[in-house]
Amino acid sequence: MNDEIVLCGASSYNKKYYFNEQFSSLPQGIQDELHIMCVLFTADVGGVLQVVFDEDGSLQLRTQTEEDDILYDEIGSVLKIKQLQREKEELFESLEMYYRVFYLGEAYEGEE
């Protein structure tokens, strides 16, 4: 059973961005930051990037490419994901907490 939910994603193939409307309650600034992040990623390395919540509420960055895509930068993709995980750590942690509280119904464990 696959309980993953896609938050957003972008594709270099059809030059489109997707944002899951279930998360429209997120502040516009966060939605904009996710949009920019996804589009810049696919413009830089190619392929498709998806930002996904797994069944435990952890945020995952997933990439895909078409088999015959010789322009896709596989090494650049791995490096760029690591860079995003470092630079956007606070954003990703906040999104995970948001998802766990509002979608999984877990109790909020705020800092005291």
Side-chain angles (χ1 to χ4, degrees):
M1 187 156 111
N2 187 358
D3 289 334
E4 295 181 337
I5 295 183
V6 175
L7 170 60
C8 58
S11 171
S12 67
Y13 303 118
N14 59 15
K15 307 285 190 247
K16 293 199 178 190
Y17 171 75
Y18 166 80
F19 182 80
N20 188 336
E21 290 301 318
Q22 285 182 289
F23 299 97
S24 61
S25 63
L26 284 171
Q28 189 61 49
I30 291 175
Q31 292 183 39
D32 293 344
E33 188 172 352
L34 290 167
H35 186 161
I36 292 166
M37 179 189 79
C38 289
V39 170
L40 287 178
F41 180 95
T42 57
D44 191 23
V45 299
V48 176
L49 174 69
Q50 290 183 326
V51 180
V52 179
F53 289 107
D54 67 17
E55 58 275 355
D56 298 323
S58 296
L59 199 69
Q60 307 289 323
L61 300 177
R62 305 250 171 92
T63 61
Q64 293 175 270
T65 182
E66 293 180 357
E67 268 187 57
D68 59 349
D69 185 356
I70 60 170
L71 300 177
Y72 178 73
D73 183 358
E74 192 169 339
I75 295 170
S77 170
V78 172
L79 295 173
K80 189 78 169 169
I81 285 177
K82 288 182 184 208
Q83 176 187 2
L84 288 172
Q85 289 170 330
R86 232 181 9 262
E87 293 176 357
K88 308 267 185 208
E89 180 179 13
E90 189 175 320
L91 171 65
F92 294 163
E93 287 175 357
S94 297
L95 288 168
E96 286 176 347
M97 179 59 69
Y98 171 87
Y99 182 77
R100 287 183 175 130
V101 170
F102 291 103
Y103 288 87
L104 298 181
E106 294 179 9
Y108 175 69
E109 298 174 14
E111 294 179 29
E112 296 182 19

